[in-house]
Every structure is written in structure tokens, then in C-alpha cells.
Amino acid sequence: MDVHVRYEGDDDPEKCTARKLARFDLADLHRSDRATPPGIVLNPHAERALSPADAATARENGLVALDCSWESAGEKRFSLGGDHRALPYLVAANPVNFGRPMRLTTVEALAAALVILGDRDHAERLLGKFTWGETFLELNAEPLRRYAACSDSADVVEVQGEYLDR
């Protein structure tokens, strides 16, 4: 599955997980919306949750994440073409937002999506470049397993509800 990142460049370059992925040829960075291929776009404002039903489209057209600071990640920033999907409830393992729900780095978002879409090995390759990468999979082992077993977006939302109700 091809991994693409619409790169805004507004984060600290030393902490930018997207740039590190690109250095290891694990993701393609794009500096404009036009240059970013349409695919499954990870968008926290999307109306539909990512589910295994999106796997064929992601394999065919790629997986796209937006890399920008959380302060500037408003809805207007997600004008990319493609099928927009929101990730379900997950907890960050990165050092900046450790333990905070839904405050994932770009690599965490991409890895979570890959696991949900049935490509755990690819997710592990991405996270393997970060000292805390394995911790992300450990912290989210149960929800990721359950989301990956869902048949569609509605099922993912139902499972997510169980975590949000806790």
C-alpha cells in the first residue's frame, strides 16, 4: 500500500514523524494539494470512520495523511481529493502527547490505518523507526484488533462507542 503525506511543514522538523518516514523512503511527501494523489485520506473531521471495507481502495489509490501541527488542523486544511475517513478512538504513544486520546502523530495515524486495513506488517515497518513505535501498538492492541475485525464503518463506530463510554 502506497503511503503519502500532504506535508505542511509547520511542525518542529526534529520531531516531524512524516519527514523521518520520507528519509527512510517509507512515505512520499507532497507540498501541495494538487501534488497529493487522491486515496483514502485520514481526516479527523470526516463523517465516516475508517474500516477494513476501505482496504481495496487504499491498496489501489494509496493512503494519505495530512502532516501539520494540531493547532492548525482545522477542517479547512482537509481539502484533499479522495475518500475521507476518520480514525476511531486510539491513544497516542508519542513523547509529546503520550496517553492522550486522538492526539496521534502522522506515523501513528498511518500505522493505525494500516492495521485496520489489514496490513500490520507495513504498520510495524513504519513504527519501527521510532523508539516509542512498539508502545503505540501495545497501548492500542485491543482496539486495533477489534477495529480490524469490523466489516464496515458503522461497526467501527459501534466498537469505538464502547471505548468512549468508559
Side-chain angles (χ1 to χ4, degrees):
M1 197 174 303
D2 292 335
V3 174
H4 301 275
V5 177
R6 170 61 175 93
Y7 178 68
E8 290 290 329
D10 58 358
D11 270 340
D12 180 347
E14 296 298 314
K15 296 178 184 171
C16 180
T17 63
R19 285 173 54 119
K20 187 169 185 175
L21 291 176
R23 276 197 311 272
F24 286 100
D25 290 325
L26 294 170
D28 294 322
L29 297 186
H30 305 279
R31 293 193 177 264
S32 72
D33 289 356
R34 285 186 60 159
T36 308
I40 297 293
V41 179
L42 301 178
N43 176 351
H45 307 289
E47 293 182 16
R48 294 187 61 192
L50 182 75
S51 77
D54 296 308
T57 303
R59 276 193 295 278
E60 185 175 322
N61 300 322
L63 183 61
V64 180
L66 174 66
D67 183 85
C68 65
S69 72
W70 274 104
E71 288 72 36
S72 63
E75 262 185 85
K76 66 181 182 347
R77 297 291 284 248
F78 290 90
S79 57
L80 298 169
D83 298 322
H84 289 239
R85 299 291 185 266
L87 284 172
Y89 178 89
L90 295 163
V91 177
N94 67 78
V96 175
N97 289 309
F98 184 85
R100 293 179 69 186
M102 306 308 295
R103 296 292 283 207
L104 309 181
T105 60
T106 301
V107 70
E108 287 171 313
L110 288 166
L114 288 165
V115 171
I116 292 168
L117 296 171
D119 198 352
R120 185 180 181 90
D121 290 344
H122 195 167
E124 289 175 356
R125 281 196 307 278
L126 298 186
L127 290 168
K129 299 299 178 187
F130 301 86
T131 56
W132 44 264
E134 190 174 328
T135 303
F136 176 75
L137 292 175
E138 291 169 0
L139 277 175
N140 295 289
E142 179 189 336
L144 284 171
R145 178 185 53 74
R146 293 184 67 200
Y147 298 143
C150 292
S151 61
D152 59 24
S153 181
D155 287 349
V156 169
V157 171
E158 186 176 323
V159 170
Q160 173 185 255
E162 295 176 25
Y163 293 102
L164 295 175
D165 290 342
R166 289 182 181 179

